[in-house]
Amino acid sequence: MDKHDHQPISTDDFKTPLLPINLNDTNEEGSSSVIMSLATPNTFFILLGPLLCGAICLWLKVGELDSSRNMLGILAWIFTWWLTEAVPMPVTSMSPLFLFPVFGISSADVVAKSYMDDVISLVLGSFILALAVEHYNIHKRLALNITLLFCGDPVNPPLLLLGICATTAFVSMWMHNVAAAVMMMPVATGILQRLPTTRRVGQQTDAVDKFCRAVVLGVIYSAAIGGMSTLTGTGVNLILVGMWKSYFPEAGPISFNTWFFFGFPLALVIFFFMWLILCCLYCKKGASRALSNYLDKAHLKTELDLLGPMSFAEKMVLFVFSGLIVLWMTRNLTDELPGWGALFKGRAGDGTASVLMATLLFIIPNKRRKGEKLMDWNKCKKLPWNIVLLLGAGFAIAEGVRSSGLADVLSKALDFLEAAPFWAISPAVCLIGGVITEFTSNNSTTTLLVPLLIQIAQTMHLHPLLLMVPGAIGAQFAFLLPTGTPSNIVGFSTGHIEIKDMLKVGLPLKIFSTIALSLLMPTLGAYVFGTDKLMKYPLTWRSLQAL
């Protein structure tokens, strides 16, 4: 054996003990370090969740059922962890899987089913399509075209922000809010990828960072606002129309055009206020000069030319995405002209179409290499499962609130509306819907609130739509928290925004939206929906004539 095979060993190594000599001192020091590591605000917030839950379950009386009280305690636990982020958000999202069975809300099987809903199927399929768009740089091509069209020369940050937000709102008019956010967020981040990621407060990059926040906030809020314009824009509008038809079968159904004549002006007013507040808060002086260093028109045109003509793979991905949009738009049309969903007797949902079209990506070849498809599962490793878990938690909570009896308790708490003056009803209903929707899904809020509002309208001798429409649209004003709607989660997952950004923009946006809806409902709404003919109708509402 060669002498160089062994390295010389220092004699000092033999003097170093393999184990500590003074074990007592080490243990004391280790115990002290463990105690110090636990004595943090994060530990306090971790304990605060179960402590609040225990206090509610032991000392607070909520309704007549123990399950209602337990459900309220669970909500306090979960939302404490969500708001403080003491435990990672995806882990907190899984807590209903053990909290609900332990507290007797529902069985493990029932809770688990909430984590694979049709909406979650829609999100999964949409995310796979979004990954395909990102993989083939289609989002970069779209981002460059939108930037060239709206950026101006020199760069005009408010105009560029308006272009991104308006495109998102338009897309959201014809497809689900979540899908619109999922589709447009890669386009927006494709623009933001050109900007520096370092944040140095007080320098040019601070202006760039603020603009990045404005773009992400603009996309998620525009997706929600655009969805208010049309019946197909969001599930809430379809739920409202379905309940109107179910409760008042002799009344004429609310058509696509009828809703558009009211929803579009409302959405337009709210959209421009959102854009103005984003410009005031995030497009500061000097932003144009800072962005001009990275968004020069000549460089953008050069980059677009470097992408070359669209490849077969890019065209096929866009074809599949376009096909999905068409399927979403045509699944349910009108009573006279039912969509393709009627062929399956209502068994197929938007998630069905989403997963179907996503599956095609794993079948269609990309014509780059023999046997290679547009997508393979390795490319799907970036799927944001944290969002899926968060969605599942929202659906589980909504079902728990209903099955535990807590929904009935909340409904009784709204009886005070019967004594409210007429002018205060619309803003009160809108505000209630806007508050509840921050903690449950928009669809769940609408399903919970609208039947109660119908009963209140009958008691007050009001046209039901005077309360139903503000309640349903107010449930779409989920502007404050990431958990308010999946669209918010899509933006929050980019890392560009924080909860404080959503609160700073979302609060004035929610207040303004409530005021706008309260003014338009008794004026434009009376003309569009015919609610000004109120006193001609009997209390039963069954003899309402077609609108």
Side-chain angles (χ1 to χ4, degrees), residues 490-522:
V490 172
F492 196 75
S493 64
T494 63
H496 284 288
I497 60 173
E498 302 171 3
I499 291 180
K500 64 180 181 181
D501 294 304
M502 296 191 67
L503 293 174
K504 185 162 61 173
V505 179
L507 185 59
L509 183 58
K510 185 185 282 281
I511 294 172
F512 177 84
S513 301
T514 301
I515 295 172
L517 179 57
S518 301
L519 293 175
L520 284 177
M521 188 60 216

Side-chain angles (χ1 to χ4, degrees), residues 158-175:
L159 181 62
L160 178 56
L161 179 63
L162 178 64
I164 297 170
C165 294
T167 304
T168 305
F170 178 77
V171 170
S172 183
M173 289 170 61
W174 314 108
M175 56 195 296

Side-chain angles (χ1 to χ4, degrees), residues 57 61 104 168 198-199 204 215 220 271 402 436 450 464 491 545:
C57 292
K61 181 174 176 59
T168 305
T198 55
R199 298 177 181 176
Q204 283 191 347
V215 168
I220 60 176
F271 173 83
R402 186 196 63 79
I436 297 175
V450 169
Q545 301 299 315

Side-chain angles (χ1 to χ4, degrees), residues 206-230:
D206 181 48
V208 172
D209 173 55
K210 288 183 179 296
F211 181 75
C212 292
R213 295 172 186 263
V215 168
V216 174
L217 289 169
V219 168
I220 60 176
Y221 291 149
S222 298
I225 294 169
M228 300 173 193
S229 305
T230 63

Side-chain angles (χ1 to χ4, degrees), residues 447-466:
T447 305
L448 165 69
L449 194 59
V450 169
L452 171 67
L453 296 177
I454 291 174
Q455 297 299 322
I456 294 175
Q458 291 184 0
T459 303
M460 298 184 66
H461 294 243
L462 293 174
H463 194 292
L465 288 178
L466 282 174

Side-chain angles (χ1 to χ4, degrees), residues 89-171:
M89 193 173 287
V91 178
T92 305
S93 300
M94 292 190 290
S95 59
L97 290 168
F98 67 85
L99 288 176
F100 282 23
V102 169
F103 283 86
I105 304 300
S106 56
S107 66
D109 287 338
V110 172
V111 183
K113 288 177 182 177
S114 300
Y115 285 78
M116 188 46 70
D117 185 87
D118 181 64
V119 174
I120 294 179
S121 301
L122 180 147
V123 170
L124 279 174
S126 301
F127 273 130
I128 292 174
L129 281 160
L131 288 176
V133 168
E134 186 176 354
H135 176 72
Y136 291 103
N137 283 325
I138 299 173
H139 67 298
K140 185 176 182 181
R141 191 183 294 273
L142 289 173
L144 287 170
N145 279 291
I146 292 175
T147 309
L148 277 170
L149 183 63
F150 290 101
C151 73
D153 193 12
V155 176
N156 186 334
L159 181 62
L160 178 56
L161 179 63
L162 178 64
I164 297 170
C165 294
T167 304
T168 305
F170 178 77
V171 170

Side-chain angles (χ1 to χ4, degrees), residues 66-80:
D66 291 342
S67 58
S68 301
R69 180 195 60 208
N70 293 347
M71 187 63 213
L72 186 62
I74 291 172
L75 289 178
W77 184 334
I78 293 175
F79 285 114
T80 298

Side-chain angles (χ1 to χ4, degrees), residues 23-39:
L23 295 176
N24 292 332
D25 292 345
T26 305
N27 286 337
E28 290 176 3
E29 185 177 336
S31 300
S32 175
S33 63
V34 169
I35 293 173
M36 291 300 295
S37 65
L38 291 176

